[in-house]
Amino acid sequence: MSVDNQSSARHAADSHDLIRVQGARENNLKDVTVELPKRRLTVFTGVSGSGKSSLVFSTIAAESQRLINETYSAFIQGFMPTLGRPEVDVLDGLTTAIIVDQERMAANPRSTVGTATDANAMLRILFSRLGQPHIGSPQAFSFNVASISGAGAVTIERGGTTTKERRSFSITGGMCPRCEGTGRVTDIDLTALYDDSKSLNESALTVPGYSMEGWYGRIYRGCGFFDPDKPIREYTKRELHDLLHKEPTKIKIDGTNLTYTGLIPQIQKSFLSKDVEAMQPHIRAFVERAVTFTVCPECDGTRLSAAARSSKINGISIADACAMQISDLAEWVRGLREPSVAPLLASLQHTLDSFVEIGLGYLSLDRPSGTLSGGEAQRTKMIRHLGSSLTDVTYVFDEPTIGLHPHDIQQMNRLLLRLRDKGNTVLVVEHKPETIAIADHVVDLGPGAGTAGGTVCFEGTVEGLRASGTLTGRHLDDRATLKKSVRTPTGHLPIRKASTHNLRDVDVDIPLGVLVVVTGVAGSGKSSLVHGSIPSDAGVVAIDQGAIRGSRRSNPATYTGLLDPIRKAFAKANGVKPALFSANSEGACPTCNGAGVIYTDLAMMAGVATVCEECEGKRFQASVLEYHFGGRNIAEVLAMPVGEAAEFFASGEARTPAAHRILHRLSEVGLGYLSLGQPLTTLSGGERQRLKLATHMGEQGGIYVLDEPTTGLHLADVEHLLGLLDRLVDAGKSVIVIEHHQAVMAHADWIIDLGPGAGHDGGRIVFEGTPADLVAARSTLTGEHLAAYVGA
């Protein structure tokens, strides 16, 4: 009897089936308290900036990772990112969190899809075991390992005696010696580096940051290898070589030990070793002007040495394998029958099949990881978790449907449910109704964004959300309707024989003066057509999905260029220098250097940020805050929300048309609630993209190209975006949008659908015409999904 009682009574260990959050105050959260069921799929909804990421990533996931990191020794923690404890009263029932976010993958030129997912590591072992002729260890197939050899005497102390022995060593690497494993060689245009009619002292160098007043000027003037007062065109052969090509050489200037390096190796080290997309705009413009990148003639862009390319399995080299589409490579690996490497083949097979299953079978392993879109990068990170045997883990996803066609979203939903059914807790931040619909539990944050958000508006089931009357609930079943009439094009932009990436000699005429939507499944060639084939001289303003890289010192005012007219207006009104009104320049509080907070580094412990006592977090010197403009000081202006600032600078004594124009554009893209001085590091992904859109809207161009502008947008904000696109077209602009969102497709004047599949199954135009024609024909995947969406 007692045995039966014991078995029916619930075990204490089974009672912890909730993740409890009490009093979360991270970023804009206002004492949020929620209880999330474990081993279920919970979706977090709400407008962009409502606090979803603050709750899921900055609170729950961050605390889980911090607690795991604390289990390691202090020595190991010193090498790990330090995480502070989130602002929260109670966090109970946490499990190990695995974060799969939208951050782009490292844009390092040496990083490829293969190196980022360990597929390359397994291929290298495979070729070192089975490749004929045998050329060496797995290192011999790595384009990141150079071949080196050396010999010399080593001194060994043994038993009180010292003996010298001759030793030699050699490492066989797979790196192509010509391009050093990057697959590209650079050619530098010398006329873009200097004006040879001037001397160095006359500012002959035209490289950004190489002025004679700065650090480089001190080195070039004092090195003694050439006369800084002599025009460069009069240099001897030796002097010109020293200026351009001299290897790093130790020199002494004014008693200081310095290193002199020739201009070209210095530029290669400081500019060309970085990803072009990650550079500041003026440096990127210089690199694009001065440097031409061509495919390495020695390795033909494969990055590998001739020896590495010579070793083959069944006639296929490792370079051929990495260049294959992954779905084809998976078939090739499946055909290898070799018992001696069976475990390796099974593991490689599983990794490649995971790529195909997750919808990335169209990629190749040699694709540079920096060229992946946010959605592709996120799905690539998911691959290592798909076959994992771990259970009772919390998986945290940030909009996993980004960049996915409605057809692919169903596949992603199945993957999320599979992770849940293995006994894991799945937390998803999402806007798409198709993914919200599969949730076991929904948490809706809001009601607004920024300071107007940060509270829980609803918690419960999807049916409950529909009936709740919240912003998300009201818009959940929104379905756009097809336009009754479409605009007539004012002209056409012809594209002929487009063959970038997987495009198959595509000919298309893109209508101008209307809203054109380019669609198709992920990997069908949309970006290749729009970004790779539209001529750059067509007056194109391209707004892509590239992340805004901003430090805690940058904010909407500095990023959009708004601070310049504001500083000048303050300076003019008070008769002082504009630099005083910058927290990154002369006006900065001397105690915190204009940061507003003082950071104390505690090695492996989380650093502590305390508000600066001198300026009380205002970032400016007290004397600067005495200068007023329109009755406000600079700190008060930077604390204003965009909407309030737009009114402030619109009229009266504070009227500043240049500032008002930028603020009006920020309001147009729905960022009226952001404060001007809010650090960029605190903005959500959707907010950053709209900030980028507002900045580019001021550029003079006739054609706007937008890459998935609905990314990170709430259902209610999509209407706002469609209104903005309409205003751009009505103002005489041509708008081309790469998009998967059916509401944007339905709103288009013209649709270009690529496909029918991805990779080498795509690259063709499968439909051109109006949305109504696409729905009526239902001849493509997009047509079927759009027809279902509009209820046709």
Side-chain angles (χ1 to χ4, degrees), residues 96-180:
T96 306
I98 293 174
I99 299 173
V100 187
D101 60 16
Q102 277 177 43
E103 284 299 310
R104 291 290 182 98
M105 296 177 84
N108 186 316
R110 296 186 174 282
S111 175
T112 64
V113 170
T115 59
T117 55
D118 298 339
N120 261 32
M122 289 186 270
L123 266 182
R124 290 199 299 268
I125 300 169
L126 185 68
F127 274 86
S128 72
R129 299 289 183 273
L130 303 183
Q132 291 299 327
H134 176 75
I135 60 163
S137 71
Q139 283 186 329
F141 296 93
S142 171
F143 54 77
N144 287 328
V145 178
S147 294
I148 52 173
S149 58
V154 292
T155 305
I156 301 170
E157 288 191 20
R158 250 194 231 111
T161 61
T162 303
T163 56
K164 283 195 173 183
E165 289 181 15
R166 184 169 173 75
R167 295 271 174 91
S168 62
F169 74 96
S170 71
I171 294 172
T172 306
M175 179 188 285
C176 166
R178 171 80 189 273
C179 62
E180 296 186 351

Side-chain angles (χ1 to χ4, degrees), residues 7 75 80 181 187 203 238 315 350 364 423 444 474 480 482 519 532 555 588 618 626 650 656 678 680 697:
S7 61
F75 174 74
M80 301 174 87
D187 196 17
S203 300
R238 176 81 202 185
H350 173 261
S364 60
D444 187 31
R474 290 201 305 275
L482 295 172
T519 186
N555 51 48
K618 290 176 181 162
E626 287 169 16
T656 313
Q678 185 176 339
L680 285 190
M697 274 170 59

Side-chain angles (χ1 to χ4, degrees), residues 210 215-225 242 246-253 255-263 265-266 269:
Y210 282 63
W215 180 253
Y216 288 113
R218 185 181 178 193
I219 293 174
Y220 283 106
R221 272 190 182 139
C223 66
F225 299 130
D242 287 347
K246 197 169 183 69
E247 291 298 309
T249 309
K250 295 270 187 260
I251 56 172
K252 204 165 201 164
I253 299 175
T256 308
N257 289 322
L258 298 168
T259 301
Y260 173 87
T261 308
L263 203 52
Q266 188 68 48
K269 182 182 166 191

